[in-house]
Amino acid sequence: MEQFINSRENPEEYSIIPGSTGWRSPSNIAIIKYWGKHGNQLPRNPSLSFTLTSAYTETRIQYKPIADNISPAFSFRFEGVENPAFSSRIQKYLSHLEPYFPFLGKVDLAISSGNSFPHSSGIASSASAMSALAFCLCSMEAAFTGKEDSGPDFLRKASFIARLGSGSACRSVYPGIALWGRQDQVHGSSDLFALPMGHILHPVFGDFRDTILLVSSGQKKVSSSAGHSLMDNNPYATIRYQNAGKRLSRLIDVIEAGDLNEFGNIAEAEALELHALMMASSPPFILMLPDTLAIIHALHKFRADTGYPVYFTLDAGPNIHLLYPARLVSEVNRWLEAEIAPLIEGRIEDAIGKGPVKISSEFASH
Ligand code: PMV
């Protein structure tokens, strides 16, 4: 972890000048799920995700030097308005980051953030939000130390810092596909940060779509941090962590081989196992809704009737992520309009994406 601790003893190495930065960072959808953690945001099992495109957060920070203060000084606006719940999460996050960014005690930050998707749509925003913020902070560090805010070391630190905000956020740092967590077969894999895995992506996955079917846009009844901690006493925890490792190993081979059918089998088994774990927690909880199951059954029938490689995965919620190659967009749309539209509140069209980008640091006027 020392590699990420930057000159704590030598804060004079920083030259803090006023400035601004901005990053757009996408959400990601896990195929092998992270569920269960320990220590300081360390995963109980490795996970692998597709980085998305349309569901993203944009964050901008204007910063200026101030005299030493005890806790990080900042203001925060979400989509143009103050948001006390997000502010207190950011407050906690920034104070944990001081060992990695000693300059945080010497700057005042005006942070402004917004999502491309409606906040209450039931789409998890922590991966995009925390990775966008992590990129901004890493860019500030680069500006203060005269380094580039690009390249493998910069991305690795961004992933490490994003992880401390929300585990899954560390995977949003890379284009295409990312792996987080120790996995013997992947050299350099670590519980501390994610690795880019684009090199294993067979072309059949290169244009993969993720159509998010919004079964319910209500707030989640169980937060993911509460869900992670319920794994501590889950009777199936040990077997789960072994399964995840084995499945990931198989998935890597399948993604390299371009085996769509086996990819789908793994993705669906993994989604159902995630929800089975929730149902086996103490207390148990069910995040799927009747229409989630209705859509899964309808999808299985659609697949049996047509042979099209269209699969689902689930996050910690009732919404369905439909995964399929871009060549099937019209067929899938027709089926959705004919059979699924009455069961959902709406849908978000997303696709595998290129990862975070630097944006203009001008504050948008709301
Ligand atoms: O990053 P967190 O703490 O919100 O956890 C994410 C958990 C899942 O979305 C269910 C799975 C995953 O790996 O993204």
PDB file of all heavy atoms in Angstrom, residues 28-37 41 47-49 89 124 126-127 163 165-171 180 220 223-225 228 274-275 278 314-317, ligand 1:
ATOM      1  N   ASN A  28     -20.350   0.389 -13.986  1.00  0.00           N
ATOM      2  CA  ASN A  28     -19.969  -0.899 -14.579  1.00  0.00           C
ATOM      3  C   ASN A  28     -20.960  -1.948 -14.128  1.00  0.00           C
ATOM      4  O   ASN A  28     -21.675  -1.754 -13.153  1.00  0.00           O
ATOM      5  CB  ASN A  28     -18.529  -1.272 -14.199  1.00  0.00           C
ATOM      6  CG  ASN A  28     -18.342  -1.541 -12.705  1.00  0.00           C
ATOM      7  OD1 ASN A  28     -18.748  -2.582 -12.187  1.00  0.00           O
ATOM      8  ND2 ASN A  28     -17.742  -0.574 -11.993  1.00  0.00           N
ATOM      9  N   ILE A  29     -21.015  -3.044 -14.891  1.00  0.00           N
ATOM     10  CA  ILE A  29     -21.902  -4.133 -14.488  1.00  0.00           C
ATOM     11  C   ILE A  29     -21.045  -5.383 -14.261  1.00  0.00           C
ATOM     12  O   ILE A  29     -20.312  -5.817 -15.156  1.00  0.00           O
ATOM     13  CB  ILE A  29     -23.042  -4.385 -15.523  1.00  0.00           C
ATOM     14  CG1 ILE A  29     -23.932  -5.544 -15.066  1.00  0.00           C
ATOM     15  CG2 ILE A  29     -22.537  -4.636 -16.943  1.00  0.00           C
ATOM     16  CD1 ILE A  29     -24.756  -5.284 -13.832  1.00  0.00           C
ATOM     17  N   ALA A  30     -21.138  -5.902 -13.035  1.00  0.00           N
ATOM     18  CA  ALA A  30     -20.320  -7.075 -12.695  1.00  0.00           C
ATOM     19  C   ALA A  30     -20.943  -8.334 -13.283  1.00  0.00           C
ATOM     20  O   ALA A  30     -22.157  -8.527 -13.210  1.00  0.00           O
ATOM     21  CB  ALA A  30     -20.214  -7.211 -11.179  1.00  0.00           C
ATOM     22  N   ILE A  31     -20.094  -9.165 -13.878  1.00  0.00           N
ATOM     23  CA  ILE A  31     -20.536 -10.502 -14.309  1.00  0.00           C
ATOM     24  C   ILE A  31     -20.241 -11.468 -13.148  1.00  0.00           C
ATOM     25  O   ILE A  31     -21.103 -12.253 -12.757  1.00  0.00           O
ATOM     26  CB  ILE A  31     -19.809 -10.952 -15.607  1.00  0.00           C
ATOM     27  CG1 ILE A  31     -19.884  -9.839 -16.673  1.00  0.00           C
ATOM     28  CG2 ILE A  31     -20.398 -12.261 -16.119  1.00  0.00           C
ATOM     29  CD1 ILE A  31     -21.277  -9.413 -17.081  1.00  0.00           C
ATOM     30  N   ILE A  32     -19.045 -11.406 -12.593  1.00  0.00           N
ATOM     31  CA  ILE A  32     -18.765 -12.109 -11.324  1.00  0.00           C
ATOM     32  C   ILE A  32     -18.852 -11.043 -10.239  1.00  0.00           C
ATOM     33  O   ILE A  32     -18.180 -10.017 -10.289  1.00  0.00           O
ATOM     34  CB  ILE A  32     -17.349 -12.748 -11.330  1.00  0.00           C
ATOM     35  CG1 ILE A  32     -17.205 -13.747 -12.492  1.00  0.00           C
ATOM     36  CG2 ILE A  32     -17.068 -13.435  -9.977  1.00  0.00           C
ATOM     37  CD1 ILE A  32     -18.110 -14.952 -12.460  1.00  0.00           C
ATOM     38  N   LYS A  33     -19.706 -11.299  -9.258  1.00  0.00           N
ATOM     39  CA  LYS A  33     -20.076 -10.244  -8.302  1.00  0.00           C
ATOM     40  C   LYS A  33     -19.155 -10.182  -7.089  1.00  0.00           C
ATOM     41  O   LYS A  33     -18.735 -11.225  -6.576  1.00  0.00           O
ATOM     42  CB  LYS A  33     -21.501 -10.492  -7.780  1.00  0.00           C
ATOM     43  CG  LYS A  33     -22.535 -10.799  -8.839  1.00  0.00           C
ATOM     44  CD  LYS A  33     -22.902  -9.567  -9.643  1.00  0.00           C
ATOM     45  CE  LYS A  33     -23.917  -9.909 -10.721  1.00  0.00           C
ATOM     46  NZ  LYS A  33     -24.291  -8.755 -11.535  1.00  0.00           N
ATOM     47  N   TYR A  34     -18.952  -8.981  -6.645  1.00  0.00           N
ATOM     48  CA  TYR A  34     -18.287  -8.705  -5.351  1.00  0.00           C
ATOM     49  C   TYR A  34     -19.402  -8.647  -4.315  1.00  0.00           C
ATOM     50  O   TYR A  34     -20.284  -7.794  -4.406  1.00  0.00           O
ATOM     51  CB  TYR A  34     -17.537  -7.380  -5.510  1.00  0.00           C
ATOM     52  CG  TYR A  34     -17.372  -6.512  -4.287  1.00  0.00           C
ATOM     53  CD1 TYR A  34     -16.718  -6.985  -3.145  1.00  0.00           C
ATOM     54  CD2 TYR A  34     -17.834  -5.194  -4.292  1.00  0.00           C
ATOM     55  CE1 TYR A  34     -16.554  -6.154  -2.038  1.00  0.00           C
ATOM     56  CE2 TYR A  34     -17.669  -4.358  -3.198  1.00  0.00           C
ATOM     57  CZ  TYR A  34     -17.029  -4.844  -2.071  1.00  0.00           C
ATOM     58  OH  TYR A  34     -16.866  -4.025  -0.993  1.00  0.00           O
ATOM     59  N   TRP A  35     -19.393  -9.568  -3.378  1.00  0.00           N
ATOM     60  CA  TRP A  35     -20.435  -9.562  -2.343  1.00  0.00           C
ATOM     61  C   TRP A  35     -19.817 -10.136  -1.082  1.00  0.00           C
ATOM     62  O   TRP A  35     -19.642 -11.336  -0.956  1.00  0.00           O
ATOM     63  CB  TRP A  35     -21.654 -10.389  -2.797  1.00  0.00           C
ATOM     64  CG  TRP A  35     -22.906 -10.093  -2.046  1.00  0.00           C
ATOM     65  CD1 TRP A  35     -23.639 -10.980  -1.289  1.00  0.00           C
ATOM     66  CD2 TRP A  35     -23.603  -8.839  -1.980  1.00  0.00           C
ATOM     67  NE1 TRP A  35     -24.742 -10.353  -0.761  1.00  0.00           N
ATOM     68  CE2 TRP A  35     -24.741  -9.034  -1.164  1.00  0.00           C
ATOM     69  CE3 TRP A  35     -23.365  -7.563  -2.517  1.00  0.00           C
ATOM     70  CZ2 TRP A  35     -25.645  -8.006  -0.879  1.00  0.00           C
ATOM     71  CZ3 TRP A  35     -24.270  -6.547  -2.230  1.00  0.00           C
ATOM     72  CH2 TRP A  35     -25.383  -6.775  -1.432  1.00  0.00           C
ATOM     73  N   GLY A  36     -19.441  -9.280  -0.159  1.00  0.00           N
ATOM     74  CA  GLY A  36     -18.730  -9.696   1.046  1.00  0.00           C
ATOM     75  C   GLY A  36     -17.382  -9.002   1.067  1.00  0.00           C
ATOM     76  O   GLY A  36     -16.633  -9.064   0.088  1.00  0.00           O
ATOM     77  N   LYS A  37     -17.118  -8.295   2.189  1.00  0.00           N
ATOM     78  CA  LYS A  37     -15.836  -7.580   2.264  1.00  0.00           C
ATOM     79  C   LYS A  37     -15.258  -7.677   3.661  1.00  0.00           C
ATOM     80  O   LYS A  37     -15.948  -8.097   4.603  1.00  0.00           O
ATOM     81  CB  LYS A  37     -16.003  -6.134   1.832  1.00  0.00           C
ATOM     82  CG  LYS A  37     -16.928  -5.298   2.706  1.00  0.00           C
ATOM     83  CD  LYS A  37     -16.967  -3.852   2.187  1.00  0.00           C
ATOM     84  CE  LYS A  37     -18.019  -3.034   2.882  1.00  0.00           C
ATOM     85  NZ  LYS A  37     -18.063  -1.654   2.414  1.00  0.00           N
ATOM     86  N   GLN A  41     -12.297  -2.076   2.962  1.00  0.00           N
ATOM     87  CA  GLN A  41     -12.844  -2.244   1.608  1.00  0.00           C
ATOM     88  C   GLN A  41     -12.076  -3.283   0.791  1.00  0.00           C
ATOM     89  O   GLN A  41     -11.777  -3.036  -0.379  1.00  0.00           O
ATOM     90  CB  GLN A  41     -12.813  -0.907   0.860  1.00  0.00           C
ATOM     91  CG  GLN A  41     -13.688   0.155   1.455  1.00  0.00           C
ATOM     92  CD  GLN A  41     -15.098   0.071   0.919  1.00  0.00           C
ATOM     93  OE1 GLN A  41     -15.951  -0.615   1.449  1.00  0.00           O
ATOM     94  NE2 GLN A  41     -15.346   0.761  -0.160  1.00  0.00           N
ATOM     95  N   SER A  47     -13.739 -10.196  -8.551  1.00  0.00           N
ATOM     96  CA  SER A  47     -14.920  -9.906  -9.374  1.00  0.00           C
ATOM     97  C   SER A  47     -14.467  -9.387 -10.741  1.00  0.00           C
ATOM     98  O   SER A  47     -13.319  -8.951 -10.900  1.00  0.00           O
ATOM     99  CB  SER A  47     -15.804  -8.870  -8.671  1.00  0.00           C
ATOM    100  OG  SER A  47     -15.067  -7.698  -8.389  1.00  0.00           O
ATOM    101  N   LEU A  48     -15.378  -9.457 -11.709  1.00  0.00           N
ATOM    102  CA  LEU A  48     -15.050  -9.015 -13.064  1.00  0.00           C
ATOM    103  C   LEU A  48     -16.252  -8.303 -13.657  1.00  0.00           C
ATOM    104  O   LEU A  48     -17.385  -8.764 -13.483  1.00  0.00           O
ATOM    105  CB  LEU A  48     -14.691 -10.240 -13.908  1.00  0.00           C
ATOM    106  CG  LEU A  48     -14.250  -9.928 -15.332  1.00  0.00           C
ATOM    107  CD1 LEU A  48     -12.924 -10.626 -15.630  1.00  0.00           C
ATOM    108  CD2 LEU A  48     -15.289 -10.394 -16.325  1.00  0.00           C
ATOM    109  N   SER A  49     -16.017  -7.161 -14.308  1.00  0.00           N
ATOM    110  CA  SER A  49     -17.159  -6.387 -14.813  1.00  0.00           C
ATOM    111  C   SER A  49     -16.895  -5.823 -16.195  1.00  0.00           C
ATOM    112  O   SER A  49     -15.747  -5.672 -16.622  1.00  0.00           O
ATOM    113  CB  SER A  49     -17.468  -5.225 -13.859  1.00  0.00           C
ATOM    114  OG  SER A  49     -16.331  -4.403 -13.714  1.00  0.00           O
ATOM    115  N   ARG A  89     -21.165  11.566   3.198  1.00  0.00           N
ATOM    116  CA  ARG A  89     -20.370  10.440   2.686  1.00  0.00           C
ATOM    117  C   ARG A  89     -19.012  10.932   2.149  1.00  0.00           C
ATOM    118  O   ARG A  89     -17.964  10.315   2.381  1.00  0.00           O
ATOM    119  CB  ARG A  89     -21.170   9.734   1.581  1.00  0.00           C
ATOM    120  CG  ARG A  89     -20.510   8.471   1.120  1.00  0.00           C
ATOM    121  CD  ARG A  89     -21.427   7.550   0.377  1.00  0.00           C
ATOM    122  NE  ARG A  89     -20.645   6.409  -0.105  1.00  0.00           N
ATOM    123  CZ  ARG A  89     -21.109   5.481  -0.913  1.00  0.00           C
ATOM    124  NH1 ARG A  89     -22.356   5.527  -1.312  1.00  0.00           N
ATOM    125  NH2 ARG A  89     -20.336   4.474  -1.308  1.00  0.00           N
ATOM    126  N   ALA A 124     -27.448   1.854  -9.600  1.00  0.00           N
ATOM    127  CA  ALA A 124     -26.435   2.149  -8.583  1.00  0.00           C
ATOM    128  C   ALA A 124     -25.494   3.207  -9.125  1.00  0.00           C
ATOM    129  O   ALA A 124     -24.989   3.090 -10.239  1.00  0.00           O
ATOM    130  CB  ALA A 124     -25.667   0.876  -8.270  1.00  0.00           C
ATOM    131  N   SER A 126     -22.904   4.507  -7.146  1.00  0.00           N
ATOM    132  CA  SER A 126     -21.683   4.685  -6.369  1.00  0.00           C
ATOM    133  C   SER A 126     -20.431   4.377  -7.204  1.00  0.00           C
ATOM    134  O   SER A 126     -19.403   5.016  -7.013  1.00  0.00           O
ATOM    135  CB  SER A 126     -21.713   3.860  -5.084  1.00  0.00           C
ATOM    136  OG  SER A 126     -21.778   2.499  -5.395  1.00  0.00           O
ATOM    137  N   ALA A 127     -20.519   3.434  -8.139  1.00  0.00           N
ATOM    138  CA  ALA A 127     -19.318   3.101  -8.925  1.00  0.00           C
ATOM    139  C   ALA A 127     -18.902   4.291  -9.788  1.00  0.00           C
ATOM    140  O   ALA A 127     -17.724   4.671  -9.826  1.00  0.00           O
ATOM    141  CB  ALA A 127     -19.567   1.874  -9.796  1.00  0.00           C
ATOM    142  N   ARG A 163     -11.649   2.527  -4.964  1.00  0.00           N
ATOM    143  CA  ARG A 163     -12.045   1.368  -4.151  1.00  0.00           C
ATOM    144  C   ARG A 163     -12.384   1.771  -2.723  1.00  0.00           C
ATOM    145  O   ARG A 163     -13.304   1.237  -2.106  1.00  0.00           O
ATOM    146  CB  ARG A 163     -10.903   0.344  -4.128  1.00  0.00           C
ATOM    147  CG  ARG A 163     -11.268  -0.946  -3.439  1.00  0.00           C
ATOM    148  CD  ARG A 163     -10.030  -1.729  -3.006  1.00  0.00           C
ATOM    149  NE  ARG A 163      -9.738  -1.494  -1.617  1.00  0.00           N
ATOM    150  CZ  ARG A 163      -8.585  -1.118  -1.116  1.00  0.00           C
ATOM    151  NH1 ARG A 163      -7.558  -0.909  -1.899  1.00  0.00           N
ATOM    152  NH2 ARG A 163      -8.436  -0.915   0.178  1.00  0.00           N
ATOM    153  N   GLY A 165     -13.771   4.364  -1.781  1.00  0.00           N
ATOM    154  CA  GLY A 165     -15.092   5.011  -1.737  1.00  0.00           C
ATOM    155  C   GLY A 165     -16.210   4.000  -1.921  1.00  0.00           C
ATOM    156  O   GLY A 165     -17.214   4.034  -1.218  1.00  0.00           O
ATOM    157  N   SER A 166     -16.038   3.087  -2.857  1.00  0.00           N
ATOM    158  CA  SER A 166     -17.018   2.030  -3.109  1.00  0.00           C
ATOM    159  C   SER A 166     -16.279   0.938  -3.853  1.00  0.00           C
ATOM    160  O   SER A 166     -15.638   1.214  -4.879  1.00  0.00           O
ATOM    161  CB  SER A 166     -18.143   2.596  -3.982  1.00  0.00           C
ATOM    162  OG  SER A 166     -18.995   1.564  -4.395  1.00  0.00           O
ATOM    163  N   GLY A 167     -16.319  -0.273  -3.331  1.00  0.00           N
ATOM    164  CA  GLY A 167     -15.507  -1.351  -3.906  1.00  0.00           C
ATOM    165  C   GLY A 167     -15.631  -1.436  -5.415  1.00  0.00           C
ATOM    166  O   GLY A 167     -14.643  -1.412  -6.149  1.00  0.00           O
ATOM    167  N   SER A 168     -16.881  -1.513  -5.892  1.00  0.00           N
ATOM    168  CA  SER A 168     -17.083  -1.736  -7.321  1.00  0.00           C
ATOM    169  C   SER A 168     -16.550  -0.575  -8.168  1.00  0.00           C
ATOM    170  O   SER A 168     -16.276  -0.748  -9.361  1.00  0.00           O
ATOM    171  CB  SER A 168     -18.568  -1.954  -7.613  1.00  0.00           C
ATOM    172  OG  SER A 168     -19.322  -0.856  -7.155  1.00  0.00           O
ATOM    173  N   ALA A 169     -16.373   0.606  -7.567  1.00  0.00           N
ATOM    174  CA  ALA A 169     -15.889   1.780  -8.316  1.00  0.00           C
ATOM    175  C   ALA A 169     -14.484   1.559  -8.871  1.00  0.00           C
ATOM    176  O   ALA A 169     -14.125   2.128  -9.904  1.00  0.00           O
ATOM    177  CB  ALA A 169     -15.907   3.017  -7.418  1.00  0.00           C
ATOM    178  N   CYS A 170     -13.697   0.709  -8.210  1.00  0.00           N
ATOM    179  CA  CYS A 170     -12.306   0.534  -8.672  1.00  0.00           C
ATOM    180  C   CYS A 170     -12.262  -0.114 -10.048  1.00  0.00           C
ATOM    181  O   CYS A 170     -11.262  -0.010 -10.747  1.00  0.00           O
ATOM    182  CB  CYS A 170     -11.467  -0.238  -7.662  1.00  0.00           C
ATOM    183  SG  CYS A 170     -11.789  -2.000  -7.601  1.00  0.00           S
ATOM    184  N   ARG A 171     -13.353  -0.787 -10.444  1.00  0.00           N
ATOM    185  CA  ARG A 171     -13.362  -1.456 -11.759  1.00  0.00           C
ATOM    186  C   ARG A 171     -13.751  -0.506 -12.886  1.00  0.00           C
ATOM    187  O   ARG A 171     -13.520  -0.793 -14.055  1.00  0.00           O
ATOM    188  CB  ARG A 171     -14.320  -2.661 -11.732  1.00  0.00           C
ATOM    189  CG  ARG A 171     -13.934  -3.766 -10.732  1.00  0.00           C
ATOM    190  CD  ARG A 171     -14.903  -4.939 -10.878  1.00  0.00           C
ATOM    191  NE  ARG A 171     -16.268  -4.461 -10.841  1.00  0.00           N
ATOM    192  CZ  ARG A 171     -17.215  -4.844  -9.976  1.00  0.00           C
ATOM    193  NH1 ARG A 171     -16.943  -5.771  -9.084  1.00  0.00           N
ATOM    194  NH2 ARG A 171     -18.423  -4.329 -10.017  1.00  0.00           N
ATOM    195  N   TRP A 180     -11.043  -7.163 -10.408  1.00  0.00           N
ATOM    196  CA  TRP A 180     -10.582  -6.685  -9.094  1.00  0.00           C
ATOM    197  C   TRP A 180     -10.507  -7.873  -8.153  1.00  0.00           C
ATOM    198  O   TRP A 180     -11.489  -8.615  -8.007  1.00  0.00           O
ATOM    199  CB  TRP A 180     -11.572  -5.645  -8.544  1.00  0.00           C
ATOM    200  CG  TRP A 180     -11.353  -5.277  -7.109  1.00  0.00           C
ATOM    201  CD1 TRP A 180     -10.159  -5.119  -6.464  1.00  0.00           C
ATOM    202  CD2 TRP A 180     -12.371  -5.013  -6.123  1.00  0.00           C
ATOM    203  NE1 TRP A 180     -10.374  -4.764  -5.147  1.00  0.00           N
ATOM    204  CE2 TRP A 180     -11.719  -4.696  -4.921  1.00  0.00           C
ATOM    205  CE3 TRP A 180     -13.769  -5.013  -6.163  1.00  0.00           C
ATOM    206  CZ2 TRP A 180     -12.418  -4.387  -3.750  1.00  0.00           C
ATOM    207  CZ3 TRP A 180     -14.457  -4.705  -5.008  1.00  0.00           C
ATOM    208  CH2 TRP A 180     -13.782  -4.384  -3.814  1.00  0.00           C
ATOM    209  N   LYS A 220     -33.317   1.341  -2.882  1.00  0.00           N
ATOM    210  CA  LYS A 220     -33.049  -0.012  -2.385  1.00  0.00           C
ATOM    211  C   LYS A 220     -33.415  -0.128  -0.910  1.00  0.00           C
ATOM    212  O   LYS A 220     -33.127   0.770  -0.136  1.00  0.00           O
ATOM    213  CB  LYS A 220     -31.553  -0.310  -2.515  1.00  0.00           C
ATOM    214  CG  LYS A 220     -31.141  -0.701  -3.888  1.00  0.00           C
ATOM    215  CD  LYS A 220     -29.810  -1.422  -3.870  1.00  0.00           C
ATOM    216  CE  LYS A 220     -28.625  -0.478  -3.910  1.00  0.00           C
ATOM    217  NZ  LYS A 220     -27.340  -1.149  -3.936  1.00  0.00           N
ATOM    218  N   SER A 223     -28.953  -1.431   1.736  1.00  0.00           N
ATOM    219  CA  SER A 223     -27.814  -0.810   1.056  1.00  0.00           C
ATOM    220  C   SER A 223     -26.773  -1.890   0.770  1.00  0.00           C
ATOM    221  O   SER A 223     -26.747  -2.932   1.442  1.00  0.00           O
ATOM    222  CB  SER A 223     -27.201   0.264   1.946  1.00  0.00           C
ATOM    223  OG  SER A 223     -26.558  -0.358   3.034  1.00  0.00           O
ATOM    224  N   SER A 224     -25.879  -1.620  -0.211  1.00  0.00           N
ATOM    225  CA  SER A 224     -24.904  -2.678  -0.483  1.00  0.00           C
ATOM    226  C   SER A 224     -23.960  -2.862   0.698  1.00  0.00           C
ATOM    227  O   SER A 224     -23.537  -3.989   0.960  1.00  0.00           O
ATOM    228  CB  SER A 224     -24.174  -2.490  -1.810  1.00  0.00           C
ATOM    229  OG  SER A 224     -23.633  -1.227  -1.918  1.00  0.00           O
ATOM    230  N   SER A 225     -23.668  -1.792   1.490  1.00  0.00           N
ATOM    231  CA  SER A 225     -22.763  -2.046   2.631  1.00  0.00           C
ATOM    232  C   SER A 225     -23.427  -2.936   3.672  1.00  0.00           C
ATOM    233  O   SER A 225     -22.773  -3.801   4.258  1.00  0.00           O
ATOM    234  CB  SER A 225     -22.214  -0.765   3.238  1.00  0.00           C
ATOM    235  OG  SER A 225     -23.176   0.219   3.259  1.00  0.00           O
ATOM    236  N   HIS A 228     -23.143  -6.448   2.186  1.00  0.00           N
ATOM    237  CA  HIS A 228     -21.797  -7.026   2.335  1.00  0.00           C
ATOM    238  C   HIS A 228     -21.617  -7.555   3.754  1.00  0.00           C
ATOM    239  O   HIS A 228     -21.095  -8.643   3.956  1.00  0.00           O
ATOM    240  CB  HIS A 228     -20.721  -5.965   2.078  1.00  0.00           C
ATOM    241  CG  HIS A 228     -20.573  -5.565   0.646  1.00  0.00           C
ATOM    242  ND1 HIS A 228     -20.187  -6.434  -0.336  1.00  0.00           N
ATOM    243  CD2 HIS A 228     -20.774  -4.372   0.027  1.00  0.00           C
ATOM    244  CE1 HIS A 228     -20.142  -5.791  -1.502  1.00  0.00           C
ATOM    245  NE2 HIS A 228     -20.499  -4.547  -1.308  1.00  0.00           N
ATOM    246  N   LEU A 274     -26.044 -14.541  -6.336  1.00  0.00           N
ATOM    247  CA  LEU A 274     -26.024 -13.300  -5.532  1.00  0.00           C
ATOM    248  C   LEU A 274     -27.343 -13.146  -4.770  1.00  0.00           C
ATOM    249  O   LEU A 274     -27.358 -12.868  -3.565  1.00  0.00           O
ATOM    250  CB  LEU A 274     -25.785 -12.098  -6.456  1.00  0.00           C
ATOM    251  CG  LEU A 274     -25.926 -10.716  -5.835  1.00  0.00           C
ATOM    252  CD1 LEU A 274     -24.747 -10.425  -4.897  1.00  0.00           C
ATOM    253  CD2 LEU A 274     -25.997  -9.619  -6.902  1.00  0.00           C
ATOM    254  N   HIS A 275     -28.441 -13.344  -5.479  1.00  0.00           N
ATOM    255  CA  HIS A 275     -29.746 -13.165  -4.829  1.00  0.00           C
ATOM    256  C   HIS A 275     -30.060 -14.315  -3.873  1.00  0.00           C
ATOM    257  O   HIS A 275     -30.704 -14.105  -2.844  1.00  0.00           O
ATOM    258  CB  HIS A 275     -30.837 -12.926  -5.883  1.00  0.00           C
ATOM    259  CG  HIS A 275     -30.762 -11.526  -6.416  1.00  0.00           C
ATOM    260  ND1 HIS A 275     -31.646 -10.537  -6.056  1.00  0.00           N
ATOM    261  CD2 HIS A 275     -29.842 -10.926  -7.216  1.00  0.00           C
ATOM    262  CE1 HIS A 275     -31.288  -9.395  -6.642  1.00  0.00           C
ATOM    263  NE2 HIS A 275     -30.195  -9.621  -7.359  1.00  0.00           N
ATOM    264  N   MET A 278     -28.570 -13.444  -0.600  1.00  0.00           N
ATOM    265  CA  MET A 278     -29.380 -12.470   0.143  1.00  0.00           C
ATOM    266  C   MET A 278     -30.526 -13.190   0.850  1.00  0.00           C
ATOM    267  O   MET A 278     -30.846 -12.902   1.994  1.00  0.00           O
ATOM    268  CB  MET A 278     -29.952 -11.421  -0.805  1.00  0.00           C
ATOM    269  CG  MET A 278     -28.889 -10.613  -1.507  1.00  0.00           C
ATOM    270  SD  MET A 278     -29.658  -9.510  -2.710  1.00  0.00           S
ATOM    271  CE  MET A 278     -28.223  -8.942  -3.591  1.00  0.00           C
ATOM    272  N   LEU A 314     -28.113  -9.447 -12.724  1.00  0.00           N
ATOM    273  CA  LEU A 314     -28.800  -8.577 -11.760  1.00  0.00           C
ATOM    274  C   LEU A 314     -27.765  -7.924 -10.871  1.00  0.00           C
ATOM    275  O   LEU A 314     -26.724  -8.525 -10.582  1.00  0.00           O
ATOM    276  CB  LEU A 314     -29.715  -9.414 -10.850  1.00  0.00           C
ATOM    277  CG  LEU A 314     -30.788 -10.274 -11.512  1.00  0.00           C
ATOM    278  CD1 LEU A 314     -31.327 -11.307 -10.520  1.00  0.00           C
ATOM    279  CD2 LEU A 314     -31.918  -9.376 -12.002  1.00  0.00           C
ATOM    280  N   ASP A 315     -28.057  -6.725 -10.440  1.00  0.00           N
ATOM    281  CA  ASP A 315     -27.269  -6.084  -9.398  1.00  0.00           C
ATOM    282  C   ASP A 315     -27.983  -6.339  -8.075  1.00  0.00           C
ATOM    283  O   ASP A 315     -28.910  -7.123  -8.022  1.00  0.00           O
ATOM    284  CB  ASP A 315     -27.204  -4.577  -9.672  1.00  0.00           C
ATOM    285  CG  ASP A 315     -25.802  -4.167 -10.052  1.00  0.00           C
ATOM    286  OD1 ASP A 315     -24.874  -4.872  -9.643  1.00  0.00           O
ATOM    287  OD2 ASP A 315     -25.654  -3.141 -10.728  1.00  0.00           O
ATOM    288  N   ALA A 316     -27.611  -5.607  -7.044  1.00  0.00           N
ATOM    289  CA  ALA A 316     -28.322  -5.756  -5.773  1.00  0.00           C
ATOM    290  C   ALA A 316     -29.613  -4.945  -5.842  1.00  0.00           C
ATOM    291  O   ALA A 316     -29.744  -3.891  -5.216  1.00  0.00           O
ATOM    292  CB  ALA A 316     -27.431  -5.302  -4.637  1.00  0.00           C
ATOM    293  N   GLY A 317     -30.568  -5.409  -6.635  1.00  0.00           N
ATOM    294  CA  GLY A 317     -31.832  -4.709  -6.813  1.00  0.00           C
ATOM    295  C   GLY A 317     -32.716  -5.501  -7.757  1.00  0.00           C
ATOM    296  O   GLY A 317     -32.319  -6.570  -8.236  1.00  0.00           O
TER     297      GLY A 317
HETATM  298  O1  PMV B   1     -19.412  -1.306  -4.562  1.00  0.00           O
HETATM  299  P1  PMV B   1     -20.530  -1.683  -3.651  1.00  0.00           P
HETATM  300  O2  PMV B   1     -20.107  -1.710  -2.204  1.00  0.00           O
HETATM  301  O3  PMV B   1     -21.753  -0.837  -3.889  1.00  0.00           O
HETATM  302  O4  PMV B   1     -20.968  -3.206  -3.989  1.00  0.00           O
HETATM  303  C1  PMV B   1     -21.409  -3.614  -5.247  1.00  0.00           C
HETATM  304  C2  PMV B   1     -22.073  -4.933  -5.160  1.00  0.00           C
HETATM  305  C3  PMV B   1     -22.690  -5.461  -6.450  1.00  0.00           C
HETATM  306  O5  PMV B   1     -23.071  -4.413  -7.304  1.00  0.00           O
HETATM  307  C4  PMV B   1     -23.927  -6.273  -6.084  1.00  0.00           C
HETATM  308  C5  PMV B   1     -21.751  -6.407  -7.183  1.00  0.00           C
HETATM  309  C6  PMV B   1     -20.581  -5.799  -7.899  1.00  0.00           C
HETATM  310  O6  PMV B   1     -19.542  -6.470  -7.954  1.00  0.00           O
HETATM  311  O7  PMV B   1     -20.699  -4.693  -8.466  1.00  0.00           O
END
